[in-house]
Amino acid sequence: MGTNGRRTGRPTLEAVAQRAGVGRGTVSRVVNGSPRVSDQARAAVQAAIAELGYVPNRAARTLVTSRTDSVALVIPESESRLVAEPYFTAIIRGVSAELADTDMQLLLILVRNARERERLAGYLTSHRVDGVLLVAVHRDDRLAELLERIEIPAVLAGRRSGTEPLTHVHPDNVGGAVRAVRHLLERGCRNVATITGPLDMDVGHARLQGWSEALRAGGAEPEDDLVATADFTEEGGREAMRALLERRPDLDGVFAASDVMAAGALQVLREHGRRVPEDVAVVGFDDSIVARHTDPPLTSVRQPVEEMGRTMARLLLEQIAEPGGERRHVVLDTELVLRDSA
Amino acid sequence: MGTNGRRTGRPTLEAVAQRAGVGRGTVSRVVNGSPRVSDQARAAVQAAIAELGYVPNRAARTLVTSRTDSVALVIPESESRLVAEPYFTAIIRGVSAELADTDMQLLLILVRNARERERLAGYLTSHRVDGVLLVAVHRDDRLAELLERIEIPAVLAGRRSGTEPLTHVHPDNVGGAVRAVRHLLERGCRNVATITGPLDMDVGHARLQGWSEALRAGGAEPEDDLVATADFTEEGGREAMRALLERRPDLDGVFAASDVMAAGALQVLREHGRRVPEDVAVVGFDDSIVARHTDPPLTSVRQPVEEMGRTMARLLLEQIAEPGGERRHVVLDTELVLRDSA
DNA sequence: CACGGGAGTGGGAGCGCTCCCACCCGGTGG
DNA sequence: CCACCGGGTGGGAGCGCTCCCACTCCCGTG
């Protein structure tokens, strides 16, 4: 009693100090790994910590340091329905794995609408997290702009454009697309069409660019009527495929910028009596779970999503540790996974 | 200068009080919605808050109240590969939606191994969160035991057994299975087999039970050689299907306790030259994304996963608000989604 | 042998908030 | 007319930590 009106039974730094027969300062130094402590004192403190089961009070620490030891993973919901869902799961898994050895907390923030974006803005501005990971970035991304404006450590999955100033990580979209289309050409396809993602996203744009590059490298000219743009959804894939068949009945290969769109395309091809891969060969992108279950199973470009998550987390931690450091840009390799569709 | 050595430019409660010409106590009362404030004072304070853009410092509040205003969603990784992935995404979405209007933060914690479970234990014991949501519960679940022991507000998705003492939410597994099997019987199936999930999980057990009940209700006897146990994976589904075909070549219907296992079963049936649904009708469970892409598309029992997430969050908030309240148990309805496989 | 300085240490101040007690004041009842 | 009450209010104390300054040793140097 007296001055010590403790409400929770949890031991404090003070208690540890008393137990170890040292001052608060010394305990703090030990806990925070300062070298300026004698071996003797350190041992005594560590023993006391173990005996009492001391765990530092995060709030008290945050209050004085104004670090929060937590980072936010922000997922714009509107996009999350579009991009294949396993993508987010894999990102989360990677981020979490990388953070596991730290004592950083992972906050998950889904942003569904303008009101929630507003809330998020207040949230970030009041520095309730040390850093932010943002996925599903598109051109003119309001959230990315926000991150840039308030100068909080941040890492993007994807980018707004080729000149993205914020640190970001993404798969080699161009290279992956090139690989896919090259494979189609090597199989003997003469008229390779593509179903693109939204062209206001770099990922959509880049995969289209890869298609063009691969065609040119193969001596073919990328023709406009071999391109149909969709929105990463299955229905979008179906519509695009119908349009392509109408415009170019002679097509014999399709590169779809996502597995889900490829799945839609496969349905339409079947409806039209085209055999896959004999009449039309199809390659998707993502190597997601759907790729293994389509009929026929889908050849697809694998992107290392979990690895992306890990990398993002690592870059963010670096940036938090050294806020002045320069922005980074990491591109991860893709790989073509062969199945039956091409 | 002087006593006010502020480091961040953010306004404090003190600043608001000064601006509004009232005391700290009054500002605190307004911020926390106490009725014991005159309309005049409240107006002045609200104006000052708006002008200064005041946001309460969470750490300071936590330090004194020992509330953290955050809840943890705990996902045991070992299971997460097994249960269909979209499940977690949907749970997350539901939880997040329900929390969006609160100022509760959502912490995501993946637990991969014993070491991380240990860390989590320390984490929870030191009350760094106000409550916990736990998914993928199985019998003898160590994490569930932990939650029970440290008496922290908690809600489970699923349960350890029929006598689960903790508050929990789950779909009507028995009813869903009954619905599926009844459908198979009504279609004219005479020998309905089942591929179960792990029987050390209530969900595996309950879906098996539903199969039995429906058979009996239909006048048939559930025979042991019509049951094969798997682990919710595709490969498990394949093996189980092979075993069933060997034991009971006369089977003409299969109820699989998950879509992923059903997908594996479909492959094996095709390999064996059985047409689906003509020779063998198949029903899955989950109505996950794979169900739409199998060949043929899979009839499946839909469980309202997002709704489960919402419900879990709601129950948790109630429990945090009133820690003494009694445990709750919510069962959500399922629905049969008809496609081509049955 | 005095002195400067580095290593190690203790503890005051203060982070921004809530809690609670003391106080003020106008209305009511004896 | 005064004691009483209760709505409304201000501000001290204190949550548990880090930061930093002051202090004590004890070594090496001139």
Side-chain angles (χ1 to χ4, degrees):
Chain A
M1 64 195 77
T3 65
N4 196 347
R6 74 179 46 158
R7 285 163 305 176
T8 66
R10 299 178 46 205
T12 69
L13 217 179
E14 184 90 48
V16 174
Q18 210 153 24
R19 176 93 172 206
V22 299
R24 266 180 13 255
T26 300
V27 177
S28 180
R29 266 166 237 134
V30 171
V31 170
N32 293 291
S34 158
R36 301 243 155 287
V37 181
S38 67
D39 292 346
Q40 188 189 4
R42 175 173 291 112
V45 169
Q46 278 163 348
I49 287 176
E51 285 167 36
L52 296 171
Y54 170 72
V55 181
N57 182 317
R58 216 184 181 87
R61 180 178 285 171
T62 296
L63 182 56
V64 39
T65 61
S66 52
R67 272 183 293 118
T68 62
D69 287 335
S70 60
V71 302
L73 173 57
V74 175
I75 302 182
E77 256 280 89
S78 50
E79 326 288 340
S80 82
R81 304 240 173 218
L82 307 182
V83 187
E85 297 206 330
Y87 179 84
F88 294 99
T89 320
I91 290 274
I92 288 173
R93 189 174 282 146
V95 169
S96 159
E98 192 68 27
L99 255 36
D101 299 322
T102 325
D103 66 341
M104 280 280 177
Q105 299 182 326
L106 177 60
L107 252 62
L108 196 65
I109 303 182
L110 302 199
V111 182
R112 259 160 287 255
N113 50 47
R115 212 189 77 234
E116 292 186 10
R117 184 168 52 230
E118 217 46 53
R119 261 179 63 105
L120 175 64
Y123 203 89
L124 299 180
T125 316
S126 63
H127 287 280
R128 293 226 277 239
V129 288
D130 293 344
V132 178
L133 301 167
L134 177 62
V135 301
V137 173
H138 59 88
R139 180 146 62 211
D140 303 326
D141 195 297
R142 304 269 308 267
L143 289 173
E145 283 172 15
L146 176 67
L147 295 176
E148 203 177 347
R149 193 167 60 242
I150 64 183
E151 295 185 346
I152 192 171
V155 178
L156 311 183
R159 56 184 179 180
R160 285 170 287 180
S161 73
T163 61
E164 179 60 64
L166 293 173
T167 291
H168 61 289
V169 178
H170 59 90
D172 180 6
N173 287 311
V174 176
V178 166
R179 213 154 298 171
V181 174
R182 193 194 298 147
H183 174 71
L184 288 169
L185 294 175
E186 284 168 1
R187 269 189 123 261
C189 294
R190 310 298 312 261
N191 299 305
V192 177
T194 184
I195 300 176
T196 77
L199 294 180
D200 71 336
M201 292 177 79
D202 178 74
V203 46
H205 186 74
R207 290 176 190 173
L208 171 60
Q209 185 187 333
W211 170 82
S212 302
E213 285 184 13
L215 286 188
R216 288 216 180 80
E221 190 58 26
E223 298 166 48
D224 280 354
D225 57 0
L226 284 171
V227 177
T229 293
D231 56 359
F232 279 136
T233 66
E234 192 172 343
E235 178 53 29
R238 277 192 289 264
E239 282 172 23
M241 193 67 244
R242 280 189 211 106
L244 286 171
L245 282 174
E246 184 143 329
R247 297 206 294 257
R248 294 292 299 253
D250 60 330
L251 64 83
D252 54 5
V254 176
F255 164 58
S258 84
D259 286 349
V260 173
M261 293 195 299
L266 287 179
Q267 289 171 20
V268 170
L269 286 170
R270 196 178 321 140
E271 286 167 18
H272 285 247
R274 309 284 184 116
R275 292 169 305 163
V276 176
E278 294 83 356
D279 301 333
V280 180
V282 178
V283 180
F285 208 114
D286 286 347
D287 189 34
S288 64
I289 187 168
V290 285
R292 295 202 300 278
H293 293 287
T294 53
D295 175 34
L298 199 61
T299 291
S300 183
V301 180
R302 200 182 83 82
Q303 47 174 342
V305 189
E306 188 164 338
E307 177 66 23
M308 279 178 59
R310 301 185 84 104
T311 307
M312 290 175 71
R314 193 159 1 96
L315 292 176
L316 187 63
L317 292 177
E318 283 174 16
Q319 206 174 137
I320 290 171
E322 192 192 353
E326 63 185 27
R327 310 304 195 183
R328 306 274 298 278
H329 174 195
V330 175
V331 180
L332 296 174
D333 259 350
T334 57
E335 177 191 353
L336 190 65
V337 177
L338 297 178
R339 293 201 183 80
D340 300 341
S341 71
Chain B
M1 63 196 77
T3 64
N4 196 347
R6 74 178 47 156
R7 284 165 305 177
T8 66
R10 300 178 45 205
T12 69
L13 217 177
E14 184 89 48
V16 174
Q18 211 153 24
R19 176 92 171 206
V22 300
R24 266 180 12 257
T26 300
V27 177
S28 180
R29 267 167 235 131
V30 171
V31 170
N32 293 289
S34 159
R36 303 240 153 289
V37 182
S38 66
D39 292 346
Q40 189 190 1
R42 174 172 292 112
V45 169
Q46 279 164 347
I49 288 176
E51 285 167 35
L52 296 171
Y54 169 73
V55 182
N57 181 317
R58 216 183 182 87
R61 180 179 283 170
T62 296
L63 183 56
V64 38
T65 60
S66 51
R67 272 183 294 117
T68 61
D69 288 334
S70 60
V71 301
L73 173 57
V74 176
I75 302 182
E77 255 282 88
S78 50
E79 326 287 342
S80 82
R81 304 241 171 219
L82 307 182
V83 187
E85 296 205 331
Y87 179 84
F88 293 100
T89 319
I91 290 275
I92 289 173
R93 190 174 282 147
V95 169
S96 159
E98 192 67 28
L99 255 36
D101 299 322
T102 325
D103 65 340
M104 279 280 177
Q105 298 182 326
L106 177 60
L107 253 61
L108 196 65
I109 303 182
L110 302 200
V111 182
R112 258 159 287 254
N113 51 45
R115 212 188 77 235
E116 292 185 11
R117 185 167 51 230
E118 216 48 53
R119 261 179 64 106
L120 176 63
Y123 202 90
L124 298 182
T125 317
S126 62
H127 287 281
R128 294 225 277 238
V129 288
D130 292 345
V132 179
L133 300 167
L134 176 63
V135 301
V137 174
H138 59 86
R139 182 147 59 210
D140 304 327
D141 196 297
R142 303 269 308 268
L143 289 173
E145 283 172 17
L146 176 67
L147 295 177
E148 203 176 347
R149 193 166 61 242
I150 64 183
E151 296 184 344
I152 193 171
V155 178
L156 312 182
R159 56 183 178 180
R160 286 170 287 180
S161 73
T163 61
E164 179 60 64
L166 294 173
T167 291
H168 60 290
V169 178
H170 59 90
D172 180 6
N173 286 311
V174 175
V178 165
R179 214 155 296 172
V181 174
R182 193 195 297 149
H183 175 71
L184 288 169
L185 294 175
E186 285 169 1
R187 269 188 122 263
C189 295
R190 310 298 311 260
N191 300 305
V192 177
T194 184
I195 300 176
T196 78
L199 294 180
D200 71 334
M201 291 178 79
D202 178 73
V203 46
H205 186 74
R207 290 177 190 173
L208 171 59
Q209 186 188 332
W211 170 81
S212 303
E213 284 183 13
L215 286 188
R216 288 216 180 81
E221 190 57 28
E223 298 166 49
D224 280 354
D225 57 0
L226 284 171
V227 177
T229 294
D231 57 358
F232 279 136
T233 67
E234 190 171 346
E235 179 53 29
R238 278 193 289 265
E239 281 171 25
M241 194 65 244
R242 280 188 211 107
L244 286 171
L245 281 174
E246 184 142 330
R247 296 207 294 257
R248 294 293 300 254
D250 61 331
L251 65 81
D252 56 4
V254 176
F255 163 59
S258 85
D259 286 348
V260 174
M261 296 195 297
L266 288 178
Q267 289 171 20
V268 170
L269 286 170
R270 197 179 320 142
E271 285 167 21
H272 285 248
R274 309 283 185 117
R275 292 169 305 164
V276 177
E278 294 83 356
D279 302 332
V280 180
V282 178
V283 180
F285 207 113
D286 285 347
D287 189 34
S288 64
I289 188 168
V290 286
R292 296 202 300 276
H293 294 287
T294 52
D295 176 33
L298 199 60
T299 291
S300 183
V301 180
R302 200 182 82 83
Q303 48 175 342
V305 190
E306 188 164 337
E307 177 65 22
M308 280 179 58
R310 301 185 85 103
T311 307
M312 290 176 69
R314 193 158 1 97
L315 291 176
L316 187 63
L317 292 177
E318 284 175 15
Q319 207 174 137
I320 290 171
E322 192 192 353
E326 64 185 27
R327 310 303 195 185
R328 305 275 299 276
H329 174 196
V330 175
V331 180
L332 295 174
D333 259 348
T334 58
E335 177 189 353
L336 189 65
V337 178
L338 297 178
R339 293 200 184 81
D340 300 343
S341 72

